[in-house]
Amino acid sequence: MARNRKVTVSTDVHGHTTGWAEVEPSTPVRPDPAVAAFFDVDNTMMQGASIYWFARGLAARNYFTTSDLARFAWQQLRFRVLATEHAGDMSQAKEAALAFVEGWRVDDVERLAEEIFDELMAPRIWGGTRRLAQRHLDAGERVWLVSAAPVEIGRVIAARLGLTGAIGTVAEVVDGAYTGRLVGDLMHGPAKADAVHQLAAVEGLNLARCSAYSDSANDLPMLSAVGRGVAVNPDGTLLREARQRGWEVRDFRTGRRAVKIAVPSTAAAGLVAGAVTAGLALQRRRRAD
């Protein structure tokens, strides 16, 4: 009989994670191979957008020039707008997404993602959402992250949190380097639901017994694909939909902080990332002059 590792989560008064401590469960847990939970990442598992924090971490390491940052900001802004306004036709959005990593080595991105998670992302994991995920693990269920971010970033987050794995946008790789093109669809909207169905077929999951968590109405297809949808830190549209459908709602935000935290995942996420990272880079250059 298998034992699940248990992770206790320490949080501050706002529910933000301050650390983890591993302990052994008092009783063995029998795995339930037919049940899993699926968690969106941006503003659901993490405060803000993972690609935003990744960009900030790269800028702090001087991986971007000013022109690179401007190009990245434009591509990310274009992706967010197209993904929101043209969900039925993603061809243009696919051209804009992930182009900024063209020519980068996969192992370098994974190494940097690990460093940047520890520095910038870990403190922004929602303690409340992390506890929800842990409950599924404690019950012998698998927990998957499902994100539009590059799958390499999702895998790092999942590994650091002790989760089962991650589903994300897949970039084409040739000879260990990114080409700047995508393999398949962006992991956005209906694509998330399709991926969940495919994983269920491969892993033998009973989706009627599974759960899904998200903050965004864009994830209604995924939330509807399982037996239990949960709105976490929901936007207005998802909140209304959750109330109509009788879904559980969990909100770990407070007051004005709820508005500020949502900024990196809006249509301006790329622009915010570009502005912040460009500012950091320019500041360093001024100091060097």
Side-chain angles (χ1 to χ4, degrees), residues 94-167:
K94 288 175 70 172
E95 294 176 2
L98 301 184
F100 77 98
V101 295
E102 180 180 356
W104 290 28
R105 303 289 303 176
V106 176
D107 51 1
D108 288 337
V109 170
E110 291 176 340
R111 173 181 55 81
L112 289 166
E114 291 176 348
E115 294 177 3
I116 293 169
F117 175 86
D118 294 339
E119 294 172 9
L120 298 177
M121 298 182 191
R124 293 170 173 87
I125 297 295
W126 288 111
T129 309
R130 181 65 188 87
R131 286 191 293 273
L132 294 175
Q134 188 62 49
R135 290 177 187 174
H136 288 283
L137 295 173
D138 291 345
E141 302 169 9
R142 286 170 285 181
V143 177
W144 293 82
L145 298 179
V146 187
S147 174
V151 67
E152 290 81 7
I153 295 177
R155 286 173 182 160
V156 167
I157 298 172
R160 286 294 201 259
L161 297 181
L163 308 181
T164 306
I167 300 170

